[in-house]
Amino acid sequence: MLKSKTFLKKTRAGGVMKIVREHYLRDDIGCGASGCAACGGAHEGPALEPQPQDPASSLCPQPHYLLPDTNVLLHQIVSAWRLGTWASVASSLRLPGSLETYVEQEQGENANDRNDRAIRVAAKWYNEHLKKMSADNHLQVIFITNDRKNKEKAVEEGIPAFTCEEYVKSLTANPELIDRLACLSEEVNEIENGKIIFSEHLPLSKLQQGIKSGTYLQGTFRASRENYLEATVWIHGDNEENKEIILQGLKHLNRAVHEDIVAVELLPKSQWVAPSSVVLQDEGQNEEDVEKEEERERMLKTAVSEKMLKPTGRVVGIIKRNWRPYCGMLSKSDIKESRRHLFTPADKRIPRIRIETRQASALEGRRIIVAIDGWPRNSRYPNGHFVRNLGDVGEKETETEVLLLEHDVPHQPFSQAVLSFLPKMPWSITEKDMKNREDLRHLCICSVDPPGCTDIDDALHCRELENGNLEVGVHIADVSHFIRPGNALDQESARRGTTVYLCEKRIDMVPELLSSNLCSLKCDVDRLAFSCIWEMNHNAEILKTKFTKSVINSKASLTYAEAQLRIDSANMNDDITTSLRGLNKLAKILKKRRIEKGALTLSSPEVRFHMDSETHDPIDLQTKELRETNSMVEEFMLLANISVAKKIHEEFSEHALLRKHPAPPPSNYEILVKAARSRNLEIKTDTAKSLAESLDRAESPTFPYLNTLLRILATRCMMQAVYFCSGMDNDFHHYGLASPIYTHFTSPIRRYADVIVHRLLAVAVGADCTYPELTDKHKLADICKNLNFRHKMAQYAQRASVAFHTQLFFKSKGIVSEEAYILFVRKNAIVVLIPKYGLEGTVFFEEKDKPNPRLIYDDEIPSLKIEDTVFHVFDKVKVKIMLDSSNLQHQKIRMSLVEPQIPGISIPTDTSNTDLNGPEKKKIKLGK
Amino acid sequence: MEEEMHTDAKIRAEIGTGCSPRGPGCSLRHFACEQNLLSRPDGSASFLQGDTSVLAGVYGPAEVKVSKEIFNKATLEVILRPKIGLPGVAEKSRERLIRNTCEAVVLGTLHPRTSITVVLQVVSDAGSLLACCLNAACMALVDAGVPMRALFCGVTCALDSDGTLVLDPTSKQEKEARAVLTFALDSVERKLLMSSTKGLYSDSELQQCLAAAQAASQHVFRFYRESLQRRYSKS
């Protein structure tokens, strides 16, 4: 034993604990070189190669091992695995022969110096040890450190030492490795001119003091998408005023990057500004543009009225960086042979990053990943290094990868640890599984899903009971039977939160074995289910509700179309068809009753791509079609969700996982009401019911599409529905469904929230045992937070995927002219919707290099007058759609006005003018 | 035990103290004890081991707070006050050790729903403090007339770097020692009631220390007896 330490500690309960710490040195750690006689088999785990392959270093031609300093290792971890000779990493983490290489901290020596000395001692020991082992092959250990003093000392002690850069540069065989070196701020300083742009960040201790005393505020930094010189900081805590602070100007932003946690200081009221409405993109390529920058900043501060001023501040320090690797593209430097280039991230909120690379020409036109290393005070841009090449721009795989990465969707294959918790195949239902389970295999159950669906999580049945009532059952895949709380599989699904459906790909929440096989309620196989069974009379009034775990055997998996066909055809009278007819009849009553209560029927243009089965290229676009059977399934799912929500809230009033949809503030409806008024229609928005009714009434005989447009607008006014823990909130109302309580129960294969709800319900009906985390409302609130985030991100990723496929579609299709309706009118643009493709885009009427047309915007109606033509909301126009590839990073669909014709604005109908620098700049955003 | 013990050599008649000239590192220091020197407590004792001195007072059996009441036995409480300052974590830990020792011998079941409180005040600490506290507590309990199954005493041993055993070490010896072991032993079976150790020692060293402590306990108990005899024969 080396030393022991004894001390007494008070426990939280007031007791006293005696703690004895003993420190031993191991004598069983070998050097790791395979075939070392002295260490024998003492070494386990990865071994050093007996003959290190020659990395062809000009500095040390003999075969050698590398011993990197821990700092080097930390900085270069990304590049480390690329180098064949880094095998010694594993053994350097636990110093070999620890009896000989143990170093005690000397008096007056700080921990860092001690560690440095320990590594030097280890390097020395290695060299002597290897010499002993084989006198003839001159194996050497090269010490790699970036610490100048450490290197000097090592050389003094006779250890061959180099800095990381020196060594990597000497590797003649792999010249591209130098790019991957994380650049250190030190080296950059030498090259850079000394002009300091930013003020210094305060140290953490000072920040904490300032935050405590209230001079500084802590918040999350959110850069603006439109204007790179502007950002907002969301202040943490419940402080109502000063919730959001505006930062303007490069100096006040002070090197903060989107999502960082920062400390800000409020500026005096005289310096407060209003958020500018200018769109600014960082286009400067040069370092010396700082003066120009200041000019631009002044431009932001245009005259504004007193009341528009918002609290304004400046960043004084960074509390936590939230840097991640960013996707984007290289903007090659104008100077030939230059190795330093700017990288433009795909996310406009991230500043451009300076990287050093020799392979710029190879990386041009590719999507790459870059990591930020630091942001020195004298640099206009942060410094970073190249990490990975994703592939060519516009390639389907590359773009999919980019949108998954950018939306933080976990999409890696499931790890071995996760897969180890899957049931062993071949799987069958055992006696143990049947405990607490009802056998419902005799029932005539069927599932109705969209075509091509492999993760079937719901099935239905309906039969007449002897007393004349109807028994209706909703059977949901029993995913919680397979995903046990706390294991790796559970943690991974909780992290993913939801399955993400992209146009041509599905990112599963649970491994495929479960999602497409064991949990999928396929026909003619026994499957475990969680059933919700009601006894109803013919008026669809619930007389009895029962929840039970069960075993079912689905008799048919139908598509919506097939189910519809069965219901409609008069000559089919088998069990499944009668069951479907019964369900359909009840669903209609349920829907009517729900709408009477004030549930909203909203609409959003949904598109579906017809894919080429070979190339997976979209061949055609189509808006989704709705059948009676869609609403039949939906109706019963809603009913099941509401019944389950009531049950779990009854049983767990403090920790039920529910879903709520808050009523939107009245101001959200302004756009809708104004738009309807312009068509002489009245929309009432005081309650959900009156909104639903007035939407139903808003019909125009000459304009049948108007109603859909109004519903699309109404959807935009809504708030986001969120998961929450019942113990943390007291407003449970679901506005859209007009239900006092709601949860998600019916899709556990693709939503983690449903898994938790299944567990809660299972405990409530005594079918499963509980576990501590389930009844911890803070843990549950954390889960809800993650789920809400993942759902939002999944939605964004889906939209981005649709947008990308729309681009592909129009690329192949060329230029088309289509009819469109105006959805919104803006100060300098109109937003239009093309019903044929469910496509939405913005038509801009202003461009910076061109003389601006005369624009008169009226906020009240709202309308926009361009020259002599007036545009109102819902006006029908004709637009030309084309793909704009002028910006490779953000390819977009451009729309230009064809009808009505405005001289100088619209393009003539008959010319095939594809000049992208035409007088109108038109951009498109999709499926918002 | 080979070491020569001198505890019984002289007993000061008036206040019932004994002393022993310190042998060559292995004998106990001189002992002294005075009982019934405080008027408020039901029993009190002051115990001296060399320059280490502890004053003890026992209250009880007395009324107990309802919250601490135990229905079938007396609630035993030990309070250890340091010489200066407020009791800290180290005192709390010692208190628990002493209470556990007392609980093992006090016949608490004879006085259910009462409290017995032992208050120990460190007067001076010159090594073997825990042992001295135990001895003072025992004498004070005897003075208070609390029924006990047996008497108990505390003995501290120190092992220095070359393995020599020192009984009843001074604070200097304790500091230099490789290991310090304190045992509490009962007077009837000479069995171990409590042990508290610190430092490095081997299995055989522990046995050796225990044997030495058992031998030394004989002398401590003999000192108890004589000191009490003096007191009661006088009155």
Side-chain angles (χ1 to χ4, degrees):
Chain A
M1 179 161 68
L2 190 67
K3 58 184 173 189
S4 78
K5 203 175 157 194
T6 311
F7 58 95
L8 293 158
K9 204 178 104 182
K10 207 166 191 171
T11 60
R12 206 175 283 168
V16 174
M17 207 164 29
K18 182 175 173 183
I19 294 170
V20 180
R21 290 218 173 117
E22 298 183 344
H23 186 162
Y24 296 88
L25 282 186
R26 288 178 65 166
D27 53 3
D28 61 340
I29 303 176
C31 66
S34 55
C36 172
C39 303
H43 183 82
E44 280 169 36
L48 293 176
E49 295 162 50
Q51 201 61 48
Q53 49 165 270
D54 193 15
S57 164
S58 55
L59 278 175
C60 26
Q62 316 100 311
H64 56 267
Y65 296 125
L66 291 181
L67 183 67
D69 169 328
T70 39
N71 282 335
V72 171
L73 199 61
L74 271 178
H75 277 288
Q76 310 294 355
I77 205 110
V78 190
S79 35
W81 58 272
R82 276 276 165 166
L83 260 172
T85 43
W86 292 82
S88 60
V89 166
S91 44
S92 76
L93 290 178
R94 32 180 200 160
L95 292 174
S98 55
L99 274 182
E100 291 98 325
T101 53
Y102 177 71
V103 173
E104 194 155 9
Q105 192 164 356
E106 280 169 6
Q107 280 234 307
E109 185 182 47
N110 66 25
N112 265 335
D113 289 345
R114 188 237 147 226
N115 290 342
D116 286 347
R117 196 155 54 87
I119 299 172
R120 287 200 304 274
V121 169
K124 212 169 173 178
W125 178 86
Y126 248 122
N127 271 334
E128 276 160 23
H129 184 81
L130 289 176
K131 225 176 274 168
K132 245 187 282 168
M133 181 178 113
S134 50
D136 47 325
N137 63 5
H138 307 292
L139 270 175
Q140 223 185 358
V141 165
I142 308 284
F143 179 43
I144 304 287
T145 179
N146 281 335
D147 186 340
R148 204 171 300 148
K149 254 194 225 150
N150 197 4
K151 192 190 149 198
E152 274 165 24
K153 275 188 189 156
V155 173
E156 245 170 64
E157 287 169 31
I159 306 161
F162 302 107
T163 65
C164 195
E165 211 190 339
E166 280 173 346
Y167 180 78
V168 176
K169 270 188 184 157
S170 77
L171 295 177
T172 43
N174 314 40
E176 81 281 357
L177 275 174
I178 187 84
D179 290 346
R180 295 180 186 253
L181 273 183
C183 70
L184 292 167
S185 48
E186 216 184 338
E187 350 168 357
V188 178
N189 273 350
E190 290 161 19
I191 316 163
E192 212 85 52
N193 55 6
K195 197 175 168 198
I196 283 167
I197 306 172
F198 299 104
S199 55
E200 201 163 1
H201 286 156
L202 296 178
L204 200 58
S205 55
K206 262 201 188 149
L207 292 179
Q208 276 162 346
Q209 245 172 30
I211 289 165
K212 235 181 213 168
S213 66
T215 40
Y216 303 142
L217 295 164
Q218 179 179 341
T220 313
F221 184 89
R222 301 199 163 275
S224 155
R225 235 181 255 274
E226 271 101 40
N227 186 339
Y228 75 101
L229 290 174
E230 199 172 276
T232 48
V233 170
W234 285 88
I235 301 306
H236 300 169
D238 308 320
N239 190 357
E240 271 307 313
E241 42 172 349
N242 300 347
K243 193 86 185 126
E244 191 188 336
I245 292 178
I246 293 188
L247 310 175
Q248 218 170 55
L250 217 49
K251 274 176 197 163
H252 288 171
L253 299 182
N254 201 358
R255 293 172 282 160
V257 178
H258 184 65
E259 298 264 273
D260 283 352
I261 313 258
V262 296
V264 287
E265 181 186 46
L266 270 182
L267 294 174
K269 269 210 173 130
S270 58
Q271 293 181 37
W272 283 15
V273 296
S276 67
S277 47
V278 188
V279 178
L280 266 187
Q281 268 179 36
D282 188 3
E283 272 147 3
Q285 177 71 258
N286 240 323
E287 288 288 321
E288 283 76 40
D289 278 357
V290 185
E291 282 85 21
K292 222 188 259 173
E293 222 76 74
E294 277 162 14
E295 218 167 89
R296 277 189 173 181
E297 277 166 32
R298 241 168 280 136
M299 197 174 96
L300 297 181
K301 287 164 196 155
T302 42
V304 274
S305 62
E306 195 72 8
K307 71 173 178 202
M308 283 180 53
L309 294 179
K310 291 256 173 72
T312 307
R314 66 182 192 94
V315 172
V316 290
I318 308 282
I319 291 161
K320 191 173 167 272
R321 288 288 195 192
N322 267 330
W323 290 343
R324 59 186 173 92
Y326 300 101
C327 295
M329 288 180 67
L330 199 70
S331 330
K332 216 173 141 198
S333 170
D334 297 336
I335 310 155
K336 258 189 199 164
E337 303 290 306
S338 168
R339 286 194 289 135
R340 302 197 302 134
H341 303 275
L342 278 178
F343 160 83
T344 315
D347 189 341
K348 285 191 186 134
R349 290 169 298 190
I350 308 295
R352 302 209 274 171
I353 302 164
R354 189 187 310 104
I355 62 167
E356 211 168 305
T357 178
R358 292 181 197 179
Q359 12 170 10
S361 39
L363 294 180
E364 217 185 356
R366 305 272 173 125
R367 296 266 183 195
I368 58 173
I369 297 181
V370 160
I372 304 187
D373 295 325
W375 197 339
R377 285 178 64 194
N378 50 12
S379 163
R380 167 73 179 74
Y381 299 109
N383 292 320
H385 69 272
F386 163 69
V387 177
R388 196 149 74 92
N389 184 349
L390 293 175
D392 283 332
V393 163
E395 292 259 319
K396 232 177 300 152
E397 283 83 56
T398 314
E399 297 299 326
T400 308
E401 175 96 16
V402 167
L403 72 91
L404 289 175
L405 283 169
E406 277 304 306
H407 294 98
D408 201 8
V409 176
H411 60 283
Q412 294 79 13
F414 288 95
S415 70
Q416 272 310 314
V418 171
L419 295 177
S420 70
F421 287 98
L422 290 177
K424 299 277 167 297
M425 292 303 279
W427 175 86
S428 63
I429 298 167
T430 62
E431 273 299 300
K432 223 172 103 200
D433 296 336
M434 290 304 292
K435 224 177 105 192
N436 297 325
R437 224 172 253 285
E438 226 171 288
D439 193 345
L440 300 178
R441 278 177 279 203
H442 57 279
L443 291 177
C444 181
I445 295 170
C446 65
S447 62
V448 184
D449 284 284
C453 178
T454 58
D455 50 349
I456 306 171
D457 38 21
D458 48 77
L460 297 156
H461 89 269
C462 172
R463 63 169 179 177
E464 198 150 334
L465 295 174
E466 280 162 13
N467 58 12
N469 288 334
L470 290 169
E471 182 194 76
V472 179
V474 166
H475 311 274
I476 307 297
D478 189 7
V479 178
S480 64
H481 176 84
F482 296 100
I483 302 182
R484 302 311 298 169
N487 67 24
L489 177 58
D490 180 45
Q491 280 165 3
E492 180 62 23
S493 344
R495 193 172 77 92
R496 298 194 176 209
T498 173
T499 295
V500 183
Y501 294 89
L502 304 181
C503 290
E504 82 297 359
K505 203 175 169 182
R506 188 178 82 196
I507 317 288
D508 278 326
M509 180 185 85
V510 294
E512 204 183 347
L513 177 67
L514 290 182
S515 67
S516 306
N517 188 357
L518 296 185
C519 287
S520 183
L521 303 176
K522 296 190 288 190
C523 57
D524 301 325
V525 279
D526 289 351
R527 287 285 175 256
L528 301 180
F530 209 140
S531 302
C532 175
I533 297 166
W534 300 280
E535 190 179 329
M536 288 185 182
N537 59 19
H538 286 268
N539 280 330
E541 278 152 358
I542 299 171
L543 305 172
K544 240 190 255 169
T545 311
K546 188 174 85 175
F547 303 101
T548 177
K549 290 219 173 188
S550 60
V551 183
I552 61 160
N553 189 325
S554 171
K555 299 290 178 287
S557 2
L558 307 170
T559 63
Y560 290 122
E562 282 168 8
Q564 192 66 53
L565 222 64
R566 276 177 183 255
I567 293 171
D568 294 343
S569 68
N571 48 7
M572 287 185 86
N573 273 315
D574 53 302
D575 276 356
I576 297 171
T577 313
T578 26
S579 175
L580 283 172
R581 284 194 188 124
L583 289 167
N584 199 29
K585 196 187 83 187
L586 290 171
K588 279 182 186 160
I589 306 170
L590 285 169
K591 183 165 189 184
K592 200 173 135 233
R593 198 176 300 151
R594 206 162 54 84
I595 287 169
E596 271 164 20
K597 270 199 223 153
L600 299 173
T601 321
L602 299 172
S603 164
S604 58
E606 277 193 83
V607 273
R608 209 186 160 80
F609 289 94
H610 284 271
M611 297 283 187
D612 187 313
S613 54
E614 294 279 303
T615 57
H616 294 287
D617 281 329
I619 338 175
D620 201 3
L621 258 163
Q622 185 190 40
T623 42
K624 272 183 193 163
E625 208 179 319
L626 287 178
R627 288 192 183 80
E628 224 174 30
T629 39
N630 288 48
S631 106
M632 174 188 93
V633 174
E634 188 192 335
E635 222 45 62
F636 282 104
M637 294 307 132
L638 291 175
L639 192 63
N641 284 338
I642 294 170
S643 295
V644 170
K646 277 182 196 152
K647 175 78 183 172
I648 58 172
H649 182 248
E650 215 168 82
E651 202 79 15
F652 301 98
S653 59
E654 282 293 290
H655 17 71
L657 193 153
L658 302 176
R659 189 169 173 83
K660 69 170 173 181
H661 183 207
S667 60
N668 278 21
Y669 286 124
E670 255 168 49
I671 278 182
L672 176 68
V673 174
K674 274 184 193 165
R677 202 179 294 143
S678 72
R679 292 274 157 184
N680 295 323
L681 293 168
E682 195 193 7
I683 299 286
K684 284 185 194 146
T685 58
D686 39 343
T687 61
K689 189 170 159 59
S690 62
L691 175 65
E693 280 170 359
S694 51
L695 276 175
D696 286 342
R697 271 198 309 273
E699 295 271 2
S700 160
T702 52
F703 189 6
Y705 199 65
L706 180 67
N707 192 272
T708 315
L709 284 172
L710 280 170
R711 287 183 197 277
I712 291 170
L713 270 189
T715 316
R716 304 289 163 88
C717 306
M718 293 297 151
M719 306 279 282
Q720 188 78 39
V722 289
Y723 296 110
F724 69 104
C725 166
S726 62
M728 310 288 267
D729 208 326
N730 35 30
D731 173 29
F732 295 178
H733 196 74
H734 198 292
Y735 182 79
L737 298 172
S739 168
I741 190 164
Y742 191 68
T743 193
H744 271 165
F745 167 73
T746 51
S747 300
I749 301 179
R750 57 186 179 89
R751 289 188 304 233
Y752 189 75
D754 303 51
V755 177
I756 296 280
V757 170
H758 272 231
R759 287 180 187 158
L760 287 166
L761 187 64
V763 175
V765 300
D768 207 344
C769 47
T770 182
Y771 59 101
E773 280 79 20
L774 193 64
T775 49
D776 182 334
K777 62 179 175 181
H778 295 283
K779 286 246 170 64
L780 215 53
D782 286 345
I783 291 176
C784 290
K785 208 173 133 198
N786 180 45
L787 290 178
N788 291 329
F789 171 74
R790 293 289 178 201
H791 276 269
K792 198 171 73 193
M793 281 313 181
Q795 220 171 350
Y796 290 163
Q798 256 152 289
R799 282 181 204 161
S801 175
V802 171
F804 172 65
H805 280 85
T806 315
Q807 284 170 17
L808 280 187
F809 174 69
F810 282 106
K811 199 174 181 178
S812 58
K813 192 130 188 176
I815 299 163
V816 274
S817 286
E818 283 298 339
E819 280 184 359
Y821 295 102
I822 299 179
L823 267 188
F824 302 104
V825 175
R826 300 256 187 262
K827 264 183 195 159
N828 60 349
I830 52 171
V831 180
V832 296
L833 177 85
I834 300 160
K836 188 175 173 192
Y837 302 121
L839 188 74
E840 193 184 319
T842 312
V843 181
F844 284 99
F845 296 114
E846 253 175 357
E847 213 190 338
K848 51 182 174 196
D849 321 330
K850 304 274 167 178
N852 285 347
R854 199 159 41 84
L855 298 174
I856 302 159
Y857 175 69
D858 187 348
D859 189 39
E860 276 309 304
I861 306 199
S863 69
L864 181 69
K865 192 173 176 188
I866 306 158
E867 305 290 342
D868 294 321
T869 318
V870 184
F871 289 96
H872 289 104
V873 174
F874 303 143
D875 279 356
K876 197 170 179 181
V877 291
K878 203 162 192 180
V879 292
K880 187 167 268 190
I881 313 159
M882 63 188 116
L883 188 70
D884 173 6
S885 315
S886 58
N887 181 348
L888 267 177
Q889 168 110 314
H890 298 280
Q891 286 196 353
K892 52 202 169 194
I893 284 168
R894 279 224 276 176
M895 291 190 187
S896 25
L897 199 62
V898 178
E899 266 178 33
Q901 288 196 356
I902 305 169
I905 300 288
S906 58
I907 30 175
T909 355
D910 46 351
T911 58
S912 54
N913 180 13
T914 54
D915 178 17
L916 294 178
N917 297 320
E920 55 286 295
K921 190 124 190 164
K922 283 145 202 203
K923 225 186 357 182
I924 179 118
K925 255 195 260 153
L926 260 156
K928 218 183 184 166
Chain B
M1 182 172 151
E2 301 85 5
E3 292 90 3
E4 215 188 336
M5 302 302 302
H6 300 278
T7 37
D8 51 339
K10 270 189 245 162
I11 294 176
R12 262 187 244 162
E14 295 88 359
I15 48 165
T17 49
C19 74
S20 70
R22 194 87 161 137
C26 266
S27 57
L28 299 170
R29 292 177 290 181
H30 83 269
F31 280 15
C33 175
E34 187 180 354
Q35 278 182 311
N36 203 15
L37 70 167
L38 300 174
S39 56
R40 302 287 295 262
D42 298 305
S44 59
S46 150
F47 207 93
L48 261 91
Q49 275 173 259
D51 290 330
T52 308
S53 160
V54 175
L55 183 63
V58 172
Y59 299 83
E63 202 183 334
V64 65
K65 257 200 225 156
V66 187
S67 61
K68 289 182 179 168
E69 189 182 82
I70 305 171
F71 72 95
N72 61 350
K73 61 176 187 178
T75 308
L76 201 77
E77 228 180 324
V78 173
I79 299 161
L80 178 60
R81 307 197 142 274
K83 190 175 166 193
I84 22 175
L86 291 166
V89 192
E91 277 72 30
K92 280 265 176 299
S93 144
R94 287 208 177 106
E95 275 174 8
R96 207 172 58 178
L97 293 171
I98 299 165
R99 199 195 62 218
N100 288 348
T101 315
C102 293
E103 245 168 15
V105 289
V106 170
L107 297 168
T109 42
L110 296 179
H111 302 283
R113 298 187 190 179
T114 60
S115 86
I116 297 171
T117 311
V118 180
V119 185
L120 296 159
Q121 170 68 55
V122 177
V123 178
S124 70
D125 177 11
S128 313
L129 183 67
L130 183 56
C132 189
C133 288
L134 285 164
N135 296 336
C138 181
M139 291 315 275
L141 284 167
V142 170
D143 188 43
V146 176
M148 296 201 280
R149 188 171 60 77
L151 296 180
F152 63 92
C153 75
V155 181
T156 303
C157 312
L159 286 164
D160 62 17
S161 47
D162 45 311
T164 349
L165 195 149
V166 184
L167 273 172
D168 198 16
T170 62
S171 37
K172 187 165 167 271
Q173 282 167 323
E174 269 182 358
K175 210 172 270 172
E176 286 163 356
R178 171 161 54 94
V180 178
L181 305 93
T182 303
F183 305 103
L185 299 144
D186 78 314
S187 63
V188 179
E189 291 166 302
R190 312 262 183 253
K191 285 269 174 67
L192 195 63
L193 292 172
M194 182 277 295
S195 94
S196 162
T197 70
K198 190 185 169 181
L200 266 181
Y201 51 85
S202 67
D203 226 7
S204 58
E205 278 171 332
L206 173 68
Q207 294 303 331
Q208 198 189 335
C209 287
L210 195 55
Q214 268 169 340
S217 72
Q218 302 246 21
H219 295 273
V220 181
F221 289 129
R222 199 180 310 152
F223 168 73
Y224 280 3
R225 177 170 295 276
E226 278 161 9
S227 133
L228 286 167
Q229 260 172 358
R230 288 284 155 192
R231 186 181 156 208
Y232 289 111
S233 63
K234 206 183 117 197
S235 52

